Amino acid sequence: MAGIYIHIPFCRQKCYYCDFYKTVNTSLKQKFLTLLNEEAKVRKNYLENETVETIYFGGGTPSVLTTEELDNILWNIDANYSISPDAEITFEANPDDLTPEYLNGIKSTGVNRLSIGIQAFQNEHLKKMNRRHDATQAEEVVRKAVETGFNNISVDLIYGLPGLTDEQWKESLQRVFQLPVEHLSAYHLTYHEGTPFFTWLKKGTLKELSENESVKQFNILVEMAEQAGFEQYEISNFARDALYSRHNSSYWLGKKYLGLGPSAHSYNLLSRRWNVSHVESYVRGLEAGSDYFEEEILSNKDHYNEYILTRIRTKWGVLLSDIRQNFGTEFYDYLLKQVAKYKKSGLVLLSEGKLLLTKEGLFVSDEIMGDLMII
Ligand code: SF4
């Protein structure tokens, strides 16, 4: 079982907080699409003919693609890989792109899961982030998507935004839980170097929420999600009726995946590989048959660290039997020694051979992970 991630590196405009690789210059779009198909062909053996269970279009903004362009990418993937008949095909989209015609078009290509970037339900915050849609539009689009026949919809929200009050955060969550959506990804704002938000923070023109305020918003999220019947299956991900993101879950459960397009990462259980984060270099590399990626062969220690990093924040947790079997007694003993430090902290839970973070532990997961990993 494997997954394919496809990075569409174009955006109509840049959001002020975002550090994903993207460009607003679409002059190379046609060339990019041709070479994306070429990359999919050239790398057809990467997954060693394993059945592809999930395909994920991320970016950038996949909804800058026309329906025909999307169809062409999927057709080429289908021609080169063994795709499961019930594969999850997720398409990230911005609300302003999802017209009724476009929704119909993408539905006809076989996309069966939408991930809609709503981010907030207050127009003042949407403007501050430089988003192109407004709150009403976001709600209308979700309802239209359901009318079109989509029955697996995820929305993204951001909390910890500068000036976001608890009341506004509660309002956003309420509005999401009233919508016919099955999944919520809610991320705390990160100030990434190189983004306008980071610059404004450094200049003091933008004020970061305090740690206490952030923890409070995280707790509001967890409580309201639970009340609405959404299960927290990963620190930032919540699902109704076990409709987890199969694609992201496969990352967390250590499955193989192939990443196509600039900045996309791939993993084949032995090595990790990442494409250059630059459309021009990507296109040039593929045209010339020269390298457009870097690769790292993973050591036993890397695999152990990766396992801790991906599993500890999920409901599946770290299985001690996996650690002993896959990484040996040295790593197993190290982990138990590190976990012992947290025995009375109430931050981790070790039960029936499974290590999990508690609700309190989830918020300081980076610190705990750092302690459990081997540097
Ligand atoms: S958040 Fe999405 S739409 Fe906004 S700049 Fe980043 S990739 Fe583009």
Side-chain angles (χ1 to χ4, degrees):
M1 178 184 151
I4 296 181
Y5 171 80
I6 300 163
H7 192 86
I8 306 298
F10 305 105
C11 289
R12 300 192 198 279
Q13 67 186 33
K14 290 187 184 177
C15 306
Y16 293 147
Y17 58 87
C18 173
D19 84 326
F20 292 126
Y21 173 64
K22 76 275 175 191
T23 173
V24 289
N25 178 355
T26 53
S27 58
L28 283 177
K29 188 177 168 205
Q30 290 316 315
K31 215 162 212 185
F32 157 76
L33 289 170
T34 306
L35 289 154
L36 179 72
N37 282 345
E38 182 62 20
E39 189 190 7
K41 276 185 212 152
V42 172
R43 297 181 68 194
K44 63 185 288 184
N45 294 326
Y46 188 83
L47 298 175
E48 295 175 311
N49 217 21
E50 272 191 38
T51 304
V52 173
E53 296 281 348
T54 64
I55 300 174
Y56 192 103
F57 286 86
T61 310
S63 50
V64 299
L65 295 175
T66 64
T67 305
E68 293 70 32
E69 288 164 346
L70 172 62
D71 200 35
N72 185 265
I73 296 171
L74 282 169
W75 184 88
N76 183 57
I77 294 286
D78 195 39
N80 288 287
Y81 296 86
S82 156
I83 312 295
S84 163
D86 74 335
E88 173 191 272
I89 307 179
T90 305
F91 189 73
E92 282 183 358
N94 281 344
D96 42 291
D97 290 326
L98 294 177
T99 61
E101 299 71 40
Y102 192 64
L103 281 164
N104 266 315
I106 52 180
K107 183 91 183 50
S108 70
T109 65
V111 165
N112 51 26
R113 184 171 183 272
L114 287 178
S115 171
I116 306 178
I118 293 181
Q119 318 307 0
F121 278 93
Q122 298 74 33
N123 291 340
E124 55 172 307
H125 290 300
L126 290 168
K127 266 203 192 110
K128 253 193 239 166
M129 289 188 272
N130 204 30
R131 301 289 299 175
R132 298 176 77 234
H133 65 275
D134 64 28
T136 315
Q137 198 177 10
E139 282 172 331
E140 279 169 4
V141 152
V142 171
R143 296 191 197 285
K144 278 271 173 301
V146 173
E147 279 169 28
T148 311
F150 285 101
N151 55 11
N152 193 354
I153 300 176
S154 177
V155 301
D156 282 2
L157 287 182
I158 303 179
Y159 62 102
L161 287 166
L164 181 75
T165 65
D166 291 349
E167 289 319 306
Q168 288 176 325
W169 180 226
K170 283 181 194 164
E171 185 211 353
S172 291
L173 290 167
Q174 246 155 23
R175 286 172 80 168
V176 163
F177 296 137
Q178 280 163 5
L179 287 170
V181 300
E182 285 67 35
H183 191 276
L184 165 68
S185 296
Y187 300 99
H188 189 279
L189 174 72
T190 306
Y191 291 88
H192 295 286
E193 208 168 337
T195 61
F197 264 26
F198 182 84
T199 310
W200 297 332
L201 180 71
K202 292 292 150 203
K203 275 192 190 155
T205 48
L206 194 152
K207 196 167 165 280
E208 193 173 9
L209 238 55
S210 72
E211 170 95 20
N212 279 348
E213 288 167 319
S214 289
V215 173
K216 202 167 164 211
Q217 293 192 358
F218 177 69
N219 288 333
I220 290 172
L221 163 68
V222 174
E223 263 168 44
M224 286 185 64
E226 198 180 335
Q227 281 162 14
F230 278 67
E231 177 192 4
Q232 184 176 25
Y233 70 103
E234 196 267 347
I235 188 164
S236 308
N237 287 280
F238 303 79
R240 215 178 334 228
D241 302 330
L243 277 164
Y244 313 134
S245 160
R246 281 166 57 194
H247 187 80
N248 288 343
S249 300
S250 72
Y251 291 155
W252 301 322
L253 295 173
K255 307 270 165 50
K256 277 185 194 176
Y257 56 88
L258 167 74
L260 303 172
S263 81
H265 284 232
S266 305
Y267 173 65
N268 65 358
L269 309 184
L270 297 173
S271 68
R272 183 166 297 291
R273 173 176 154 163
W274 54 100
N275 287 353
V276 61
S277 295
H278 192 250
V279 183
E280 247 177 276
S281 310
Y282 171 80
V283 163
R284 244 186 288 122
L286 272 155
E287 275 180 334
S290 58
D291 284 355
Y292 53 92
F293 58 84
E294 290 183 70
E295 191 164 19
E296 180 190 25
I297 306 294
L298 300 173
S299 66
N300 198 28
K301 187 178 92 174
D302 295 331
H303 279 293
Y304 165 86
N305 283 340
E306 189 72 24
Y307 182 93
I308 298 288
L309 187 79
T310 49
R311 292 289 292 245
I312 193 76
R313 296 196 282 194
T314 69
K315 71 168 206 153
W316 298 285
V318 167
L319 302 182
L320 295 185
S321 54
D322 277 359
I323 299 288
R324 200 203 284 265
Q325 255 169 38
N326 301 338
F327 310 111
T329 45
E330 194 191 328
F331 288 77
Y332 176 77
D333 292 344
Y334 173 83
L335 178 65
L336 288 188
K337 194 173 107 225
Q338 296 303 94
V339 170
K341 291 190 200 169
Y342 289 95
K343 212 172 175 186
K344 290 188 181 145
S345 67
L347 298 173
V348 301
L349 186 72
L350 183 55
S351 163
E352 296 176 2
K354 193 201 257 190
L355 180 67
L356 294 162
L357 296 178
T358 61
K359 201 168 128 192
E360 293 72 28
L362 279 174
F363 202 79
V364 286
S365 60
D366 284 353
E367 207 179 296
I368 301 173
M369 272 182 330
D371 240 7
L372 304 183
M373 286 160 66
I374 301 176
I375 309 303

